[in-house]
Amino acid sequence: MRFALLALAVLTCGLFSGFSYAADAPKGFSDAQRGSIEGIIKNYLTEHPEVIVDALKAAQKRDEALAETKSKEAIAKTKDKIYDDPATPVGGNPKGDVTVVEFYDYQCGYCKMAQDAVEKLLQDDKNVKLLYKDFPILGPVSIEASKASLAAARQGKFVKFHDALMDVKDRLTSELILKTAKDVGLDTDKLKKDMEDEAINKALQANLELGRSIGVRGTPMFIVGDQIYPGAMQHEQLKKAVEAARAAKKKS
């Protein structure tokens, strides 16, 4: 804190006096001078706390921009794993001109909040392809639910089961997962057997590794075009993201 105040003091003095100080200028101050400068800065910040708020916001924006840049670079390097993995379930129009990728966890409340927006997008825009990336990070039941959803794909009911799991409001349990599977018409004996297939476990591990490599820190996270959208998106936000990706694609 002491160094930060001194640095701010040098900057402030430079701004008001019109002079630029070298980076090591504080070393030339006496203890009395440093104490005086610190007092001035403390008083100023006490009277103008918005300066600190603005500085923190600016730093946060820089950090977010840097993280987004790194994620975009990682996405460019892993396009095949994102878009061409045969183990990834597909929804919407498989031949759609815009692809939306969603990383999600079946126990994630924010994912459930975003579900209505995703469903409405697919209903309203018949030219969107959706790639489902299970990203079970909220414990063993999340992993179990993801295994069940990938196993449901082998019975041709992935989307139906996925949507049903997202609509479950209660905390998921093994029993509730199987009940939901039965309710959508799945053969639960086959489902349980397929859930133990090592291929499904490998698919989940691949998703987790992929997500971490491109900066997925929580769920949901969407990729639309070359843009990353963390958090629960509303329908209008998703719609605008798709429209932007479609426009960018036409220009390229």
Side-chain angles (χ1 to χ4, degrees), residues 19-243:
F19 292 103
S20 297
Y21 288 85
D24 61 347
K27 295 179 182 178
F29 295 147
S30 67
D31 290 342
Q33 288 173 322
R34 283 195 293 268
S36 177
I37 291 171
E38 286 180 11
I40 293 171
I41 296 302
K42 286 179 181 178
N43 289 336
Y44 180 82
L45 292 179
T46 299
E47 295 175 4
H48 303 279
E50 68 276 6
V51 172
I52 297 176
V53 175
D54 290 342
L56 291 173
K57 287 181 178 179
Q60 183 179 2
K61 286 183 179 179
R62 287 195 298 270
D63 290 343
E64 290 175 349
L66 179 60
E68 183 176 347
T69 298
K70 289 183 177 179
S71 292
K72 283 185 177 180
E73 291 173 350
I75 288 173
K77 293 178 181 178
T78 56
K79 277 190 174 181
D80 291 346
K81 293 180 180 179
I82 295 173
Y83 298 106
D84 301 322
D85 182 359
T88 299
V90 179
N93 180 356
K95 296 182 179 180
D97 66 341
V98 173
T99 299
V100 174
V101 182
E102 180 184 7
F103 288 82
Y104 57 86
D105 183 304
Y106 285 112
Q107 293 198 102
C108 167
Y110 292 106
C111 298
K112 292 177 185 291
M113 287 172 58
Q115 178 65 14
D116 287 343
V118 174
E119 289 183 4
K120 182 168 176 53
L121 174 70
L122 297 181
Q123 289 170 2
D124 293 349
D125 192 331
K126 300 303 182 182
N127 210 16
V128 171
K129 176 181 180 180
L130 179 63
L131 297 181
Y132 298 86
K133 297 287 188 181
D134 283 86
F135 199 70
I137 54 175
L138 297 177
V141 176
S142 292
I143 295 173
E144 185 176 346
S146 288
K147 286 183 176 181
S149 71
L150 292 180
R154 299 186 178 187
Q155 297 184 44
K157 295 182 181 293
F158 171 84
V159 173
K160 193 172 183 180
F161 183 54
H162 169 88
D163 292 349
L165 279 181
M166 283 298 183
D167 286 340
V168 172
K169 304 306 179 185
D170 297 328
R171 186 174 181 82
L172 286 179
T173 62
S174 299
E175 293 75 19
L176 187 52
I177 291 171
L178 289 178
K179 179 182 181 304
T180 305
K182 185 176 181 180
D183 289 345
V184 300
L186 285 161
D187 180 335
T188 55
D189 288 334
K190 175 174 172 49
L191 186 78
K192 287 187 285 186
K193 182 178 179 181
D194 288 338
M195 286 170 64
E196 300 304 317
D197 191 326
E198 184 60 22
I200 285 180
N201 186 57
K202 287 182 178 179
L204 288 181
Q205 289 302 314
N207 278 357
L208 289 169
E209 291 173 8
L210 173 63
R212 290 169 185 144
S213 73
I214 63 176
V216 180
R217 296 180 179 83
T219 54
M221 193 197 84
F222 295 88
I223 301 173
V224 187
D226 63 350
Q227 298 294 318
I228 300 165
Y229 300 90
M233 298 181 74
Q234 297 180 358
H235 173 252
E236 282 303 313
Q237 292 174 308
L238 264 177
K239 181 181 177 181
K240 288 180 180 179
V242 168
E243 290 172 349

